[in-house]
Amino acid sequence: MRTVITGGGGFVGSHLCERFLAEGHVVVCVDNLITGSLVNVEHLRSNPNFIFYRHDISHPFEIDAPVDNILHFASPASPVDYLRHPIPTLKVGSLGTHNTLGLAKLKKARYLLASTSEVYGDPEEHPQREEYWGHVNPIGIRGVYDEAKRFAEAMTMAYHRHHGVDTHICRIFNTYGERMRLDDGRVLPNFMGQALRGEPLTVYGDGSQTRSFCYVADLVEGIFRLLHTDFHEPVNLGNPNEVTIREFAEEILQLSGSKSKIEYQPLPQDDPKLRRPDISRARKLLGWEPKVDRHEGLRRTLEHFRQRVKDGSAKMG
Ligand code: NAD
Ligand code: UDP
């Protein structure tokens, strides 16, 4: 089996590379490292089944070998990253999806698109079921990500319906774990970095907005199962255990034993107020649900960030 993983040098992608290698696949990782890092796959590079191409997937990618699976995970994913790279984000969701679908058609490969809960925007339905069409501001600052992913879903369904490609779409809800970048701007790396450095935790708005956090190992299991179904409509993958951002900050303070204070800062534009996946479809279709509870997942992730913060301060002398 040969599996192409775009964005394999990123947080989720690197865990997928590990999983497919463990299943005995040859893994072809394609990444331009715009938000990822070779450090994430350093431990895989001595494996003869692991091949890394530094390439921007918004440009066509050719491979002179059979391909069985393509997982399209390339895209800036943190709001800070996609606001810093708005046009590359639009391009990788549109052109990158088109290029990878073209490759899947040519190679007769299975295809899986990494979509997102952001397709629901600032939802007016709670929790979010796959049938919900969403509430997205196309011209708002988050539109570059949300609309690119919505386009990517439309393109994926068209390749399935029109060309018969064996496609799958997972809508991923906030996922966390080892190998997230300390400075990617998402809430968990921010709070953990701040707690470990003894700086104030920056809660945006009044912290009453909610998210539902899924540990990366659970997500990877769901993705692996979804790829091997004959189901083509989107499937939510996430942990339905919902928490307010204020409670989340307190949880991280308690877990880390940090004496940091909480500091309130303005809420960014179009920040979704509520987010929780309805995972009935994944439960039924995949026999899947998250296994790692938030306390355990956060404990493991904190160890990773403790090391990163140590390495960072060692570098700064
Ligand atoms: P990440 O930033 O760590 O990883 C993304 C990877 O894609 C990086 O290695 C980056 O360099 C690469 N990339 C970006 N543009 C590229 C391009 N044009 N060509 C080649 N490589 C490119 O982010 P992540 O959290 O690992 O997210 C991975 C995927 O999962 C993304 O598609 C994201 O939209 C999706 N997703 C993630 C979450 C989450 O909570 N982590 C939630 C919803 C969706
Ligand atoms: N957030 C916060 N402080 C931070 C970073 C984020 O309060 O330092 C909030 C953000 O406003 C949002 C939630 O935490 O309501 C999750 O933000 P994140 O950037 O992780 O991802 P999102 O789910 O918004 O894509």
Side-chain angles (χ1 to χ4, degrees):
M1 285 288 205
R2 188 175 283 105
T3 297
V4 172
I5 303 179
T6 74
F11 156 52
V12 176
S14 62
H15 288 272
L16 286 170
C17 289
E18 257 175 13
R19 172 64 187 264
F20 281 85
L21 285 170
E23 298 284 338
H25 293 217
V26 171
V27 170
V28 180
C29 171
V30 183
D31 202 302
N32 66 353
L33 303 178
I34 186 173
T35 57
S37 166
L38 278 182
V39 174
N40 290 336
V41 289
E42 200 50 54
H43 60 300
L44 307 177
R45 295 195 79 184
S46 58
N47 186 328
N49 286 339
F50 182 75
I51 302 159
F52 181 86
Y53 285 104
R54 185 164 186 167
H55 176 77
D56 179 345
I57 200 64
S58 298
H59 298 282
F61 176 71
E62 287 173 17
I63 177 166
D64 191 15
V67 174
D68 302 283
N69 305 304
I70 300 175
L71 288 86
H72 182 36
F73 276 68
S75 172
S78 118
V80 169
D81 284 344
Y82 60 71
L83 296 183
R84 193 179 292 146
H85 304 291
I87 295 166
T89 300
L90 281 158
K91 287 170 82 173
V92 75
S94 54
L95 306 177
T97 303
H98 188 211
N99 289 332
T100 48
L101 281 165
L103 190 64
K105 175 172 167 256
L106 178 74
K107 302 289 182 181
K108 300 188 173 22
R110 258 187 229 118
Y111 185 88
L112 187 140
L113 171 72
S115 185
T116 166
S117 52
E118 282 281 326
V119 300
Y120 302 121
D122 187 9
E124 291 171 318
E125 187 181 301
H126 191 72
Q128 292 78 51
R129 294 172 305 131
E130 290 87 348
E131 288 82 1
Y132 178 50
W133 290 355
H135 180 229
V136 170
N137 176 1
I139 57 163
I141 51 172
R142 295 173 86 105
V144 297
Y145 181 68
D146 304 8
E147 294 296 0
K149 291 287 186 180
R150 288 167 68 97
F151 176 90
E153 287 198 5
M155 184 66 104
T156 301
M157 290 309 294
Y159 264 68
H160 170 64
R161 294 193 182 111
H162 193 69
H163 290 309
V165 177
D166 181 8
T167 62
H168 309 275
I169 298 174
C170 62
R171 291 188 178 149
I172 303 170
F173 284 65
N174 297 67
T175 297
Y176 68 94
E178 295 88 340
R179 299 205 282 273
M180 285 184 106
R181 245 174 47 232
L182 192 53
D183 65 349
D184 87 1
R186 287 184 266 200
V187 65
L188 184 139
N190 272 9
F191 285 178
M192 285 199 173
Q194 291 159 344
L196 291 166
R197 289 188 298 259
E199 297 165 2
L201 271 61
T202 51
V203 168
Y204 301 158
D206 63 4
S208 63
Q209 70 273 32
T210 68
R211 294 293 185 273
S212 307
F213 294 95
C214 181
Y215 185 61
V216 65
D218 283 328
L219 174 72
V220 165
E221 183 58 34
I223 291 168
F224 192 80
R225 291 190 193 188
L226 178 60
L227 180 70
H228 296 96
T229 63
D230 54 9
F231 190 78
H232 305 291
E233 306 247 320
V235 177
N236 288 339
L237 292 178
N239 191 323
N241 189 344
E242 187 179 7
V243 64
T244 68
I245 293 302
R246 198 175 39 231
E247 286 162 354
F248 193 54
E250 279 155 10
E251 235 172 69
I252 289 177
L253 285 178
Q254 198 176 31
L255 190 76
S256 60
S258 167
K259 300 268 175 297
S260 290
K261 302 259 172 300
I262 291 180
E263 177 182 288
Y264 291 89
Q265 293 193 358
L267 189 68
Q269 189 193 330
D270 294 336
D271 198 287
K273 285 182 266 312
L274 299 173
R275 184 180 289 157
R276 169 156 59 104
D278 179 323
I279 60 164
S280 317
R281 187 175 276 182
R283 276 202 176 102
K284 194 161 160 213
L285 180 74
L286 312 173
W288 173 90
E289 62 181 7
K291 295 261 178 295
V292 182
D293 70 23
R294 198 169 58 242
H295 188 267
E296 174 57 17
L298 289 182
R299 197 190 58 71
R300 294 184 202 174
T301 310
L302 187 67
E303 287 319 303
H304 158 82
F305 281 117
R306 211 185 280 286
Q307 196 52 47
R308 287 275 161 108
V309 167
K310 243 191 236 157
D311 295 348
S313 29
K315 250 189 231 146
M316 287 165 75

